[in-house]
Amino acid sequence: MLSPYGLTDDGQMGQAVGEAVKFSDKVWNWFTDVDMWTKIMFSGIRIIILFIATRIIIRVVAKLIDRALFHREQSRINTNPRRFATVAELLKNVTSVTCNFVMVLLILSEFNFHLGPLLAGASVLGLAVGFGAQSLVKDVITGFFIILEDQFAVGDVIQTGTYKGTVELIGLRSTRIVSMNGETYILPNGMITSVTNYSFSNALAMVDLPVKNERALEDTVSLIKQALAGLQERDGNVIAVPDVLGIQSMSTSEYVIRIVAQCVPNMRSEVERTILENIKQAMEFEEAQKQALAELSATQEEQGGE
């Protein structure tokens, strides 16, 4: 009896059995292919080794980052721990992303993926993002190196361009500076090309004191030295006894005496005001003494005349 397709039932059954046997043979050959399973085993071992090595590298680099930033943090007095925490997390994230990306590429190569087109596409995408966010990338990179190189810290008095003031906040994208007048400047880190830091070393307070020519130079210098004697003990901002350098300039009506004193960073103006206050008090005391002596002398003359 013929089927509608022109084959007998026995022929169809024989063909189906033959195909089933072929399929079972393929499956059996696939399961018994020693070379294939050997390759799979070695590939799996390599993948496991890559994964473990990546995790170890990430942990070791994180420990090195923490140790390096800890020593740098301990080297500064005016430091903000959040800055170093930010840098540490950024470095750790960059390390983790880089190591994992390389691991994924190596794993894909184990499965015979062609990495050339993938890398080319990633390069084009990175280039496009770089051009689109060029200013942001510049700010972040500059901020990263400002923090890493410890160019200035929170609380330092700095000047960059025409902006001068106390650093209030340092971020990866911008820096906030508060001027002496209370004005707040928020500067993108990419604009900070050069920095003058007034807080790295001791400051030098400098006072120019004008004195009338009628007053003797020796008396003036002696009065100033007496007024400033022991100033470093009374004022913790003064490091050493102020030094009277002598005449800085002179005119027909007055001469100018220059006084200098080493002081702690960022306290120059306060020390200069303290020096002037001490000299002024000494001059007032001297004037009061002269006036008292003049009054006493006049009283004695009146009593002698009587």
Side-chain angles (χ1 to χ4, degrees), residues 102-214:
V102 173
M103 181 189 70
V104 169
L105 292 181
L106 293 176
I107 290 175
L108 290 177
S109 67
E110 292 292 331
F111 293 99
N112 296 323
F113 277 90
H114 297 289
L115 302 180
L118 180 63
L119 294 176
S123 301
V124 172
L125 179 61
L127 187 62
V129 172
F131 277 114
Q134 184 177 6
S135 178
L136 178 62
V137 172
K138 180 180 178 182
D139 293 339
V140 172
I141 293 176
T142 305
F144 171 77
F145 280 105
I146 286 175
I147 299 174
L148 185 64
E149 296 175 356
D150 202 14
Q151 297 179 12
F152 51 84
V154 174
D156 287 356
V157 177
I158 67 169
Q159 181 171 355
T160 172
T162 58
Y163 303 101
K164 180 178 180 181
T166 304
V167 179
E168 187 180 64
L169 177 66
I170 303 175
L172 286 176
R173 196 192 67 82
S174 62
T175 297
R176 186 186 303 166
I177 301 175
V178 180
S179 69
M180 304 302 176
N181 299 326
E183 300 168 337
T184 300
Y185 307 117
I186 301 177
L187 306 177
N189 290 328
M191 291 179 56
I192 303 176
T193 56
S194 62
V195 177
T196 302
N197 195 326
Y198 298 95
S199 302
F200 268 165
S201 58
N202 295 331
L204 186 66
M206 186 179 302
V207 175
D208 288 335
L209 182 68
V211 183
K212 293 182 178 181
N213 280 332
E214 289 77 8

Side-chain angles (χ1 to χ4, degrees), residues 70-298:
F70 175 77
H71 289 305
R72 185 171 290 275
E73 180 180 354
Q74 297 298 318
S75 66
R76 289 298 304 267
I77 297 177
N78 298 327
T79 184
N80 187 351
R82 292 182 300 175
R83 291 196 313 134
F84 295 98
T86 302
V87 175
E89 290 301 322
L90 178 64
L91 291 175
K92 291 176 184 177
N93 290 336
V94 171
T95 302
S96 177
V97 170
T98 303
C99 292
N100 287 323
F101 180 73
V102 173
M103 181 189 70
V104 169
L105 292 181
L106 293 176
I107 290 175
L108 290 177
S109 67
E110 292 292 331
F111 293 99
N112 296 323
F113 277 90
H114 297 289
L115 302 180
L118 180 63
L119 294 176
S123 301
V124 172
L125 179 61
L127 187 62
V129 172
F131 277 114
Q134 184 177 6
S135 178
L136 178 62
V137 172
K138 180 180 178 182
D139 293 339
V140 172
I141 293 176
T142 305
F144 171 77
F145 280 105
I146 286 175
I147 299 174
L148 185 64
E149 296 175 356
D150 202 14
Q151 297 179 12
F152 51 84
V154 174
D156 287 356
V157 177
I158 67 169
Q159 181 171 355
T160 172
T162 58
Y163 303 101
K164 180 178 180 181
T166 304
V167 179
E168 187 180 64
L169 177 66
I170 303 175
L172 286 176
R173 196 192 67 82
S174 62
T175 297
R176 186 186 303 166
I177 301 175
V178 180
S179 69
M180 304 302 176
N181 299 326
E183 300 168 337
T184 300
Y185 307 117
I186 301 177
L187 306 177
N189 290 328
M191 291 179 56
I192 303 176
T193 56
S194 62
V195 177
T196 302
N197 195 326
Y198 298 95
S199 302
F200 268 165
S201 58
N202 295 331
L204 186 66
M206 186 179 302
V207 175
D208 288 335
L209 182 68
V211 183
K212 293 182 178 181
N213 280 332
E214 289 77 8
R215 185 180 180 89
L217 175 62
E218 185 177 353
D219 295 340
T220 303
V221 173
S222 177
L223 175 66
I224 294 173
K225 289 182 177 180
Q226 291 178 4
L228 302 180
L231 182 61
Q232 77 277 12
E233 299 174 358
R234 301 193 302 270
D235 190 340
N237 295 325
V238 181
I239 297 176
V241 179
D243 188 14
V244 182
L245 299 182
I247 296 179
Q248 180 66 21
S249 62
M250 188 172 60
S251 64
T252 56
S253 59
E254 64 181 17
Y255 57 90
V256 178
I257 299 292
R258 171 160 292 183
I259 306 107
V260 296
Q262 287 191 7
C263 57
V264 298
N266 303 332
M267 301 303 293
R268 174 181 175 181
S269 300
E270 286 75 3
V271 172
E272 290 176 350
R273 284 193 291 268
T274 301
I275 291 174
L276 290 174
E277 290 173 359
N278 281 264
I279 295 175
K280 175 61 176 173
Q281 292 173 359
M283 288 183 171
E284 291 177 350
F285 180 75
E286 183 188 50
E287 188 65 27
Q289 280 187 329
K290 289 181 178 180
Q291 187 175 358
L293 289 175
E295 292 178 354
L296 179 61
S297 177

